[in-house]
Amino acid sequence: MTSKRPTLAQRSLPMRPFSESVPMALLRTREAVMRLFRPGLRSRGVTEQQWRILRALAHQGPLEVTELAEATFLLAPSLSRILPDLEKRRLISRRPVKADLRRSVVSLEAQGLRLIGEHAPYSEQMYARIAQRFGTEKLEQLLQLLHELETSLEALAGELDRRPAGAGQRKGSP
Amino acid sequence: MTSKRPTLAQRSLPMRPFSESVPMALLRTREAVMRLFRPGLRSRGVTEQQWRILRALAHQGPLEVTELAEATFLLAPSLSRILPDLEKRRLISRRPVKADLRRSVVSLEAQGLRLIGEHAPYSEQMYARIAQRFGTEKLEQLLQLLHELETSLEALAGELDRRPAGAGQRKGSP
DNA sequence: ACTGATTAATTATGATGTTAAGTATCTAAC
DNA sequence: GTTAGATACTTAACATCATAATTAATCAGT
Protein backbone atom coordinates (compact mmCIF):
# COMPACT_ATOMS: atom_id res chain seq x y z
CA MET A 1 0.00 0.00 0.00
CA THR A 2 1.05 3.53 -0.60
CA SER A 3 3.27 4.88 2.13
CA LYS A 4 1.99 8.23 3.34
CA ARG A 5 3.18 10.82 5.78
CA PRO A 6 2.25 9.67 9.29
CA THR A 7 -0.97 11.28 10.42
CA LEU A 8 -1.72 12.57 13.85
CA ALA A 9 -3.70 9.40 14.39
CA GLN A 10 -0.74 7.27 13.44
CA ARG A 11 1.53 8.99 15.90
CA SER A 12 -0.91 8.97 18.79
CA LEU A 13 -2.49 5.57 18.22
CA PRO A 14 0.13 2.83 18.12
CA MET A 15 -2.28 0.09 17.02
CA ARG A 16 -0.44 -3.02 15.98
CA PRO A 17 -0.08 -3.58 12.27
CA PHE A 18 -1.39 -7.12 12.44
CA SER A 19 -4.46 -5.93 14.22
CA GLU A 20 -6.14 -5.18 10.94
CA SER A 21 -4.61 -8.13 9.22
CA VAL A 22 -6.44 -11.22 10.38
CA PRO A 23 -10.05 -10.35 9.53
CA MET A 24 -9.00 -8.57 6.35
CA ALA A 25 -6.68 -11.36 5.24
CA LEU A 26 -9.44 -13.91 5.81
CA LEU A 27 -11.92 -11.76 3.89
CA ARG A 28 -9.57 -11.14 1.00
CA THR A 29 -8.53 -14.77 0.70
CA ARG A 30 -12.12 -15.91 0.79
CA GLU A 31 -13.04 -13.44 -1.93
CA ALA A 32 -10.14 -14.71 -4.02
CA VAL A 33 -11.43 -18.27 -3.65
CA MET A 34 -15.05 -17.38 -4.33
CA ARG A 35 -14.08 -15.38 -7.37
CA LEU A 36 -13.21 -18.68 -9.06
CA PHE A 37 -16.53 -20.33 -8.23
CA ARG A 38 -18.98 -17.50 -8.57
CA PRO A 39 -19.18 -17.45 -12.39
CA GLY A 40 -20.19 -21.12 -12.52
CA LEU A 41 -22.86 -20.56 -9.91
CA ARG A 42 -24.16 -17.46 -11.65
CA SER A 43 -24.49 -19.31 -14.91
CA ARG A 44 -26.79 -21.77 -13.12
CA GLY A 45 -28.81 -19.04 -11.47
CA VAL A 46 -27.86 -19.82 -7.87
CA THR A 47 -26.15 -17.60 -5.35
CA GLU A 48 -23.34 -18.78 -3.14
CA GLN A 49 -25.69 -19.10 -0.17
CA GLN A 50 -28.23 -21.12 -2.15
CA TRP A 51 -25.43 -23.37 -3.31
CA ARG A 52 -24.30 -23.98 0.24
CA ILE A 53 -27.80 -25.13 1.11
CA LEU A 54 -28.05 -27.51 -1.82
CA ARG A 55 -24.56 -28.78 -1.16
CA ALA A 56 -25.25 -29.45 2.52
CA LEU A 57 -28.44 -31.37 1.73
CA ALA A 58 -26.69 -33.40 -0.93
CA HIS A 59 -23.86 -34.24 1.41
CA GLN A 60 -25.78 -34.96 4.61
CA GLY A 61 -29.30 -35.82 3.50
CA PRO A 62 -32.46 -34.12 4.81
CA LEU A 63 -31.80 -31.66 7.63
CA GLU A 64 -33.89 -29.66 10.03
CA VAL A 65 -33.64 -25.92 9.65
CA THR A 66 -31.41 -25.41 12.67
CA GLU A 67 -29.12 -28.19 11.46
CA LEU A 68 -29.07 -26.62 8.01
CA ALA A 69 -28.17 -23.25 9.52
CA GLU A 70 -25.23 -24.87 11.21
CA ALA A 71 -24.14 -26.91 8.20
CA THR A 72 -24.26 -23.91 5.88
CA PHE A 73 -23.17 -21.29 8.39
CA LEU A 74 -26.17 -19.18 7.45
CA LEU A 75 -28.25 -17.26 9.96
CA ALA A 76 -31.75 -18.51 10.64
CA PRO A 77 -33.45 -15.33 9.41
CA SER A 78 -31.47 -15.63 6.19
CA LEU A 79 -32.57 -19.25 5.77
CA SER A 80 -36.18 -18.21 6.34
CA ARG A 81 -35.90 -15.95 3.33
CA ILE A 82 -33.83 -18.22 1.09
CA LEU A 83 -35.71 -21.50 1.57
CA PRO A 84 -39.11 -20.44 0.21
CA ASP A 85 -37.46 -19.37 -3.03
CA LEU A 86 -35.59 -22.66 -3.43
CA GLU A 87 -38.85 -24.48 -2.64
CA LYS A 88 -40.70 -22.48 -5.26
CA ARG A 89 -38.07 -23.41 -7.81
CA ARG A 90 -38.53 -27.07 -6.75
CA LEU A 91 -34.89 -27.45 -5.83
CA ILE A 92 -35.82 -28.42 -2.25
CA SER A 93 -38.93 -29.29 -0.30
CA ARG A 94 -39.98 -28.78 3.32
CA ARG A 95 -42.28 -30.72 5.59
CA PRO A 96 -43.13 -30.24 9.25
CA VAL A 97 -41.90 -32.73 11.85
CA LYS A 98 -45.01 -34.48 13.16
CA ALA A 99 -43.54 -34.86 16.63
CA ASP A 100 -42.87 -31.14 16.93
CA LEU A 101 -44.73 -28.75 14.66
CA ARG A 102 -42.26 -25.99 15.39
CA ARG A 103 -39.65 -27.84 13.38
CA SER A 104 -39.45 -28.74 9.70
CA VAL A 105 -37.22 -30.97 7.58
CA VAL A 106 -35.62 -29.73 4.39
CA SER A 107 -34.88 -32.20 1.60
CA LEU A 108 -33.20 -31.97 -1.75
CA GLU A 109 -35.50 -32.48 -4.71
CA ALA A 110 -34.66 -34.07 -8.06
CA GLN A 111 -34.07 -30.70 -9.73
CA GLY A 112 -31.75 -29.67 -6.95
CA LEU A 113 -29.85 -32.89 -7.35
CA ARG A 114 -29.57 -32.31 -11.08
CA LEU A 115 -28.23 -28.80 -10.57
CA ILE A 116 -25.57 -30.12 -8.25
CA GLY A 117 -24.65 -32.75 -10.79
CA GLU A 118 -24.26 -30.09 -13.44
CA HIS A 119 -22.10 -27.85 -11.30
CA ALA A 120 -19.93 -30.55 -9.78
CA PRO A 121 -17.44 -30.89 -12.66
CA TYR A 122 -16.89 -27.13 -12.79
CA SER A 123 -16.39 -27.07 -9.04
CA GLU A 124 -13.98 -29.99 -9.04
CA GLN A 125 -12.01 -28.47 -11.88
CA MET A 126 -11.51 -25.32 -9.84
CA TYR A 127 -10.43 -27.23 -6.75
CA ALA A 128 -7.99 -29.23 -8.79
CA ARG A 129 -6.52 -26.01 -10.16
CA ILE A 130 -6.27 -24.48 -6.69
CA ALA A 131 -4.57 -27.57 -5.30
CA GLN A 132 -2.18 -27.67 -8.23
CA ARG A 133 -1.31 -24.00 -8.02
CA PHE A 134 -1.08 -23.61 -4.26
CA GLY A 135 -0.20 -27.13 -3.22
CA THR A 136 -2.31 -29.74 -1.50
CA GLU A 137 0.00 -29.87 1.47
CA LYS A 138 -0.12 -26.14 2.04
CA LEU A 139 -3.91 -26.18 1.72
CA GLU A 140 -4.16 -28.82 4.40
CA GLN A 141 -1.79 -26.84 6.59
CA LEU A 142 -3.89 -23.73 6.09
CA LEU A 143 -7.11 -25.57 6.94
CA GLN A 144 -5.45 -26.97 10.06
CA LEU A 145 -4.42 -23.49 11.24
CA LEU A 146 -7.85 -22.06 10.47
CA HIS A 147 -9.53 -24.80 12.44
CA GLU A 148 -7.19 -24.32 15.38
CA LEU A 149 -7.68 -20.57 15.37
CA GLU A 150 -11.46 -20.93 15.21
CA THR A 151 -11.41 -23.41 18.07
CA SER A 152 -9.20 -21.28 20.27
CA LEU A 153 -11.26 -18.15 19.58
CA GLU A 154 -14.45 -19.94 20.47
CA ALA A 155 -12.89 -20.92 23.76
CA LEU A 156 -11.81 -17.32 24.26
CA ALA A 157 -15.26 -16.01 23.42
CA GLY A 158 -16.77 -18.45 25.88
CA GLU A 159 -14.60 -17.00 28.60
CA LEU A 160 -15.46 -13.41 27.71
CA ASP A 161 -19.18 -13.91 27.26
CA ARG A 162 -21.51 -13.83 30.18
CA ARG A 163 -23.73 -16.15 28.22
CA PRO A 164 -22.75 -19.77 27.67
CA ALA A 165 -20.74 -20.34 24.49
CA GLY A 166 -23.03 -20.88 21.54
CA ALA A 167 -25.94 -18.96 22.94
CA GLY A 168 -25.51 -16.28 20.31
CA GLN A 169 -27.28 -16.11 16.98
CA ARG A 170 -24.81 -18.17 14.99
CA LYS A 171 -23.60 -21.28 16.68
CA GLY A 172 -20.27 -22.86 15.99
CA SER A 173 -20.15 -26.52 15.18
CA PRO A 174 -20.05 -28.58 18.36
CA MET B 1 -21.31 -33.23 12.05
CA THR B 2 -23.89 -35.87 12.30
CA SER B 3 -23.13 -38.87 10.18
CA LYS B 4 -26.12 -39.82 8.06
CA ARG B 5 -26.93 -42.60 5.70
CA PRO B 6 -25.31 -41.78 2.35
CA THR B 7 -27.78 -40.13 0.03
CA LEU B 8 -28.15 -40.79 -3.63
CA ALA B 9 -26.27 -37.59 -4.19
CA GLN B 10 -23.42 -38.75 -2.04
CA ARG B 11 -23.03 -41.96 -3.93
CA SER B 12 -23.30 -40.42 -7.37
CA LEU B 13 -21.38 -37.19 -6.74
CA PRO B 14 -17.96 -37.91 -5.30
CA MET B 15 -17.13 -34.24 -4.61
CA ARG B 16 -14.01 -33.90 -2.54
CA PRO B 17 -14.49 -33.28 1.16
CA PHE B 18 -12.08 -30.39 1.20
CA SER B 19 -13.90 -28.78 -1.65
CA GLU B 20 -16.36 -27.20 0.73
CA SER B 21 -13.74 -26.59 3.35
CA VAL B 22 -11.71 -23.62 2.20
CA PRO B 23 -14.40 -20.96 1.76
CA MET B 24 -16.33 -22.25 4.76
CA ALA B 25 -13.24 -22.46 6.97
CA LEU B 26 -12.29 -18.91 6.04
CA LEU B 27 -15.81 -17.71 6.72
CA ARG B 28 -16.08 -19.50 10.06
CA THR B 29 -12.68 -18.36 11.24
CA ARG B 30 -13.42 -14.79 10.29
CA GLU B 31 -16.70 -14.89 12.15
CA ALA B 32 -14.91 -16.28 15.20
CA VAL B 33 -12.47 -13.36 15.07
CA MET B 34 -15.13 -10.72 14.46
CA ARG B 35 -17.23 -12.10 17.27
CA LEU B 36 -14.61 -10.76 19.68
CA PHE B 37 -14.59 -7.27 18.19
CA ARG B 38 -18.17 -6.70 17.25
CA PRO B 39 -19.47 -5.93 20.78
CA GLY B 40 -16.96 -3.11 21.22
CA LEU B 41 -17.90 -1.63 17.88
CA ARG B 42 -21.60 -1.92 18.58
CA SER B 43 -21.23 -0.12 21.87
CA ARG B 44 -19.71 2.80 19.94
CA GLY B 45 -22.43 2.77 17.31
CA VAL B 46 -20.29 1.80 14.34
CA THR B 47 -20.57 -1.22 12.07
CA GLU B 48 -17.58 -3.28 11.08
CA GLN B 49 -17.51 -1.69 7.64
CA GLN B 50 -17.64 1.83 9.08
CA TRP B 51 -14.81 0.92 11.42
CA ARG B 52 -12.70 -0.29 8.52
CA ILE B 53 -13.11 3.08 6.86
CA LEU B 54 -12.15 5.04 9.94
CA ARG B 55 -9.26 2.72 10.58
CA ALA B 56 -7.91 3.04 7.03
CA LEU B 57 -8.06 6.84 7.17
CA ALA B 58 -6.35 6.91 10.54
CA HIS B 59 -3.62 4.62 9.31
CA GLN B 60 -2.97 6.06 5.86
CA GLY B 61 -4.24 9.63 6.00
CA PRO B 62 -6.74 11.14 3.54
CA LEU B 63 -7.63 8.83 0.66
CA GLU B 64 -9.55 9.10 -2.55
CA VAL B 65 -12.64 6.96 -2.76
CA THR B 66 -11.11 4.35 -5.04
CA GLU B 67 -8.10 4.11 -2.75
CA LEU B 68 -10.39 3.81 0.24
CA ALA B 69 -12.33 1.02 -1.48
CA GLU B 70 -9.07 -0.84 -1.92
CA ALA B 71 -7.77 -0.16 1.59
CA THR B 72 -11.03 -1.27 3.22
CA PHE B 73 -11.93 -4.01 0.74
CA LEU B 74 -15.37 -2.48 0.36
CA LEU B 75 -17.19 -2.18 -2.94
CA ALA B 76 -17.54 1.29 -4.43
CA PRO B 77 -21.36 1.21 -4.36
CA SER B 78 -21.15 0.26 -0.68
CA LEU B 79 -18.82 3.17 0.02
CA SER B 80 -21.21 5.52 -1.75
CA ARG B 81 -23.84 4.49 0.73
CA ILE B 82 -21.68 4.44 3.86
CA LEU B 83 -19.69 7.67 3.44
CA PRO B 84 -22.60 10.14 3.53
CA ASP B 85 -23.68 8.75 6.87
CA LEU B 86 -20.19 9.00 8.37
CA GLU B 87 -19.97 12.54 6.99
CA LYS B 88 -23.30 13.45 8.54
CA ARG B 89 -22.04 12.17 11.89
CA ARG B 90 -18.93 14.33 11.37
CA LEU B 91 -16.61 11.36 11.65
CA ILE B 92 -15.17 12.05 8.19
CA SER B 93 -15.30 14.78 5.58
CA ARG B 94 -15.15 14.80 1.80
CA ARG B 95 -13.93 17.35 -0.68
CA PRO B 96 -13.63 17.21 -4.47
CA VAL B 97 -10.21 17.04 -6.14
CA LYS B 98 -9.80 20.34 -8.01
CA ALA B 99 -7.78 18.71 -10.77
CA ASP B 100 -10.50 16.15 -11.48
CA LEU B 101 -14.01 16.85 -10.29
CA ARG B 102 -14.99 13.23 -10.65
CA ARG B 103 -12.77 12.36 -7.72
CA SER B 104 -13.02 13.28 -4.06
CA VAL B 105 -10.76 12.95 -1.02
CA VAL B 106 -11.99 11.50 2.23
CA SER B 107 -10.45 12.66 5.50
CA LEU B 108 -10.86 11.69 9.11
CA GLU B 109 -12.41 14.36 11.30
CA ALA B 110 -11.72 15.07 14.98
CA GLN B 111 -14.72 13.05 16.13
CA GLY B 112 -13.63 10.11 14.03
CA LEU B 113 -10.19 10.33 15.54
CA ARG B 114 -11.67 10.40 19.02
CA LEU B 115 -13.80 7.34 18.33
CA ILE B 116 -10.75 5.45 17.17
CA GLY B 117 -8.92 6.51 20.29
CA GLU B 118 -11.75 5.21 22.45
CA HIS B 119 -11.91 1.87 20.69
CA ALA B 120 -8.19 1.27 20.38
CA PRO B 121 -7.63 -0.11 23.91
CA TYR B 122 -10.51 -2.58 23.54
CA SER B 123 -9.17 -3.64 20.17
CA GLU B 124 -5.62 -4.06 21.40
CA GLN B 125 -6.79 -6.04 24.39
CA MET B 126 -8.53 -8.49 22.08
CA TYR B 127 -5.51 -8.86 19.84
CA ALA B 128 -3.31 -9.48 22.83
CA ARG B 129 -5.69 -12.20 23.98
CA ILE B 130 -5.79 -13.78 20.55
CA ALA B 131 -2.00 -13.78 20.26
CA GLN B 132 -1.65 -15.22 23.73
CA ARG B 133 -4.23 -17.95 23.18
CA PHE B 134 -3.31 -18.95 19.64
CA GLY B 135 0.34 -17.96 19.52
CA THR B 136 2.01 -15.08 17.72
CA GLU B 137 4.12 -17.41 15.63
CA LYS B 138 1.13 -19.41 14.43
CA LEU B 139 -0.73 -16.20 13.61
CA GLU B 140 2.13 -15.03 11.45
CA GLN B 141 2.28 -18.41 9.78
CA LEU B 142 -1.44 -18.26 9.08
CA LEU B 143 -1.19 -14.76 7.63
CA GLN B 144 1.69 -15.90 5.45
CA LEU B 145 -0.34 -18.81 4.05
CA LEU B 146 -3.40 -16.62 3.51
CA HIS B 147 -1.35 -14.10 1.61
CA GLU B 148 0.26 -16.78 -0.52
CA LEU B 149 -3.10 -18.39 -1.29
CA GLU B 150 -4.64 -15.06 -2.21
CA THR B 151 -1.72 -14.23 -4.46
CA SER B 152 -1.75 -17.58 -6.22
CA LEU B 153 -5.53 -17.44 -6.71
CA GLU B 154 -5.32 -13.99 -8.21
CA ALA B 155 -2.76 -15.32 -10.66
CA LEU B 156 -5.07 -18.24 -11.42
CA ALA B 157 -8.08 -15.95 -11.86
CA GLY B 158 -6.05 -13.80 -14.22
CA GLU B 159 -5.39 -16.84 -16.38
CA LEU B 160 -9.02 -17.91 -16.38
CA ASP B 161 -10.53 -14.50 -16.99
CA ARG B 162 -10.79 -13.06 -20.46
CA ARG B 163 -10.50 -9.66 -18.88
CA PRO B 164 -7.21 -8.45 -17.40
CA ALA B 165 -6.75 -9.26 -13.73
CA GLY B 166 -8.29 -6.58 -11.59
CA ALA B 167 -10.88 -5.51 -14.10
CA GLY B 168 -13.67 -6.85 -11.93
CA GLN B 169 -15.58 -4.84 -9.40
CA ARG B 170 -13.35 -5.47 -6.41
CA LYS B 171 -9.67 -5.11 -7.08
CA GLY B 172 -7.01 -6.88 -5.13
CA SER B 173 -4.17 -4.87 -3.74
CA PRO B 174 -1.42 -4.47 -6.32
C1' DA C 1 -12.89 22.30 -31.27
C1' DC C 2 -15.00 17.93 -31.44
C1' DT C 3 -15.81 13.13 -30.32
C1' DG C 4 -15.50 8.42 -28.78
C1' DA C 5 -13.57 5.92 -25.11
C1' DT C 6 -12.48 5.71 -20.46
C1' DT C 7 -12.80 6.73 -15.60
C1' DA C 8 -14.90 8.05 -10.85
C1' DA C 9 -18.62 7.83 -8.33
C1' DT C 10 -23.53 7.15 -7.76
C1' DT C 11 -27.97 4.87 -8.16
C1' DA C 12 -31.00 0.86 -8.91
C1' DT C 13 -32.04 -3.64 -7.76
C1' DG C 14 -32.22 -7.96 -5.62
C1' DA C 15 -29.80 -10.89 -2.26
C1' DT C 16 -27.95 -11.79 2.22
C1' DG C 17 -26.00 -10.27 6.93
C1' DT C 18 -27.34 -8.97 11.51
C1' DT C 19 -30.05 -7.86 15.48
C1' DA C 20 -34.44 -7.50 17.65
C1' DA C 21 -39.00 -8.78 18.06
C1' DG C 22 -42.86 -11.76 17.13
C1' DT C 23 -45.61 -16.16 16.60
C1' DA C 24 -46.43 -20.92 17.29
C1' DT C 25 -45.27 -24.88 19.75
C1' DC C 26 -43.35 -27.64 23.40
C1' DT C 27 -41.98 -28.87 28.18
C1' DA C 28 -41.35 -28.92 33.11
C1' DA C 29 -43.17 -27.56 37.36
C1' DC C 30 -46.99 -26.93 40.16
C1' DG D 1 -55.21 -28.87 33.89
C1' DT D 2 -52.59 -24.56 33.96
C1' DT D 3 -48.76 -21.70 33.25
C1' DA D 4 -44.09 -19.76 32.88
C1' DG D 5 -40.11 -20.44 30.41
C1' DA D 6 -37.78 -22.26 26.52
C1' DT D 7 -37.36 -23.45 21.66
C1' DA D 8 -37.99 -23.35 16.37
C1' DC D 9 -38.78 -20.56 12.97
C1' DT D 10 -40.46 -16.21 10.88
C1' DT D 11 -40.77 -11.30 10.17
C1' DA D 12 -39.18 -6.46 10.61
C1' DA D 13 -35.77 -3.20 10.01
C1' DC D 14 -31.54 -1.59 8.68
C1' DA D 15 -26.85 -2.50 6.79
C1' DT D 16 -23.91 -4.26 3.27
C1' DC D 17 -22.98 -7.38 -0.79
C1' DA D 18 -22.90 -7.81 -5.71
C1' DT D 19 -23.99 -6.71 -10.38
C1' DA D 20 -25.69 -3.62 -13.84
C1' DA D 21 -26.72 0.77 -15.38
C1' DT D 22 -26.33 5.71 -15.14
C1' DT D 23 -24.32 10.35 -14.72
C1' DA D 24 -20.60 13.53 -14.77
C1' DA D 25 -16.04 14.41 -15.90
C1' DT D 26 -11.67 13.56 -18.22
C1' DC D 27 -8.55 12.36 -21.95
C1' DA D 28 -6.49 10.95 -26.36
C1' DG D 29 -6.94 11.21 -31.10
C1' DT D 30 -8.35 13.64 -35.00
Side-chain angles (χ1 to χ4, degrees), chain A residues 18 22 26 142-161 165 172-174, chain B residues 25 28-37 126-139 142:
Chain A
F18 96 78
V22 180
L26 292 165
L142 173 61
L143 285 170
Q144 179 69 22
L145 282 171
L146 289 172
H147 181 71
E148 287 174 16
L149 178 56
E150 183 191 353
T151 303
S152 64
L153 293 185
E154 283 179 351
L156 185 54
E159 290 171 14
L160 296 177
D161 273 343
S173 189
Chain B
R28 301 178 70 96
T29 306
R30 183 169 201 279
E31 176 59 26
V33 175
M34 289 314 304
R35 193 175 158 196
L36 298 180
F37 293 93
M126 288 304 167
Y127 294 135
R129 281 189 159 110
I130 294 175
Q132 180 190 26
R133 174 62 62 103
F134 183 65
T136 302
E137 194 168 310
K138 285 173 72 177
L139 260 186
L142 173 61

Side-chain angles (χ1 to χ4, degrees), chain B residues 71-114:
Chain B
T72 56
F73 213 61
L74 289 167
L75 295 160
S78 300
L79 272 182
S80 289
R81 297 187 74 83
I82 298 170
L83 290 177
D85 178 57
L86 294 180
E87 191 170 26
K88 191 170 159 191
R89 291 162 65 185
R90 298 185 179 282
L91 299 173
I92 61 127
S93 61
R94 290 192 285 179
R95 71 176 187 278
V97 173
K98 286 197 177 68
D100 188 341
L101 296 181
R102 293 174 297 175
R103 295 148 59 195
S104 55
V105 169
V106 186
S107 307
L108 198 58
E109 285 287 317
Q111 279 191 321
L113 190 51
R114 187 177 338 115

Side-chain angles (χ1 to χ4, degrees), chain B residues 64-75:
Chain B
E64 293 193 14
V65 175
T66 47
E67 293 173 328
L68 189 54
E70 190 170 319
T72 56
F73 213 61
L74 289 167
L75 295 160

Side-chain angles (χ1 to χ4, degrees), chain B residues 114-125:
Chain B
R114 187 177 338 115
L115 194 150
I116 288 184
E118 288 168 2
H119 186 66
Y122 179 99
S123 199
E124 285 305 297
Q125 182 190 41

Side-chain angles (χ1 to χ4, degrees), chain A residues 44-46 50 84-91 111 115:
Chain A
R44 293 177 221 294
V46 292
Q50 291 167 349
D85 178 57
L86 294 179
E87 190 170 25
K88 193 171 160 190
R89 289 162 66 186
R90 298 184 179 281
L91 299 172
Q111 280 191 321
L115 194 150

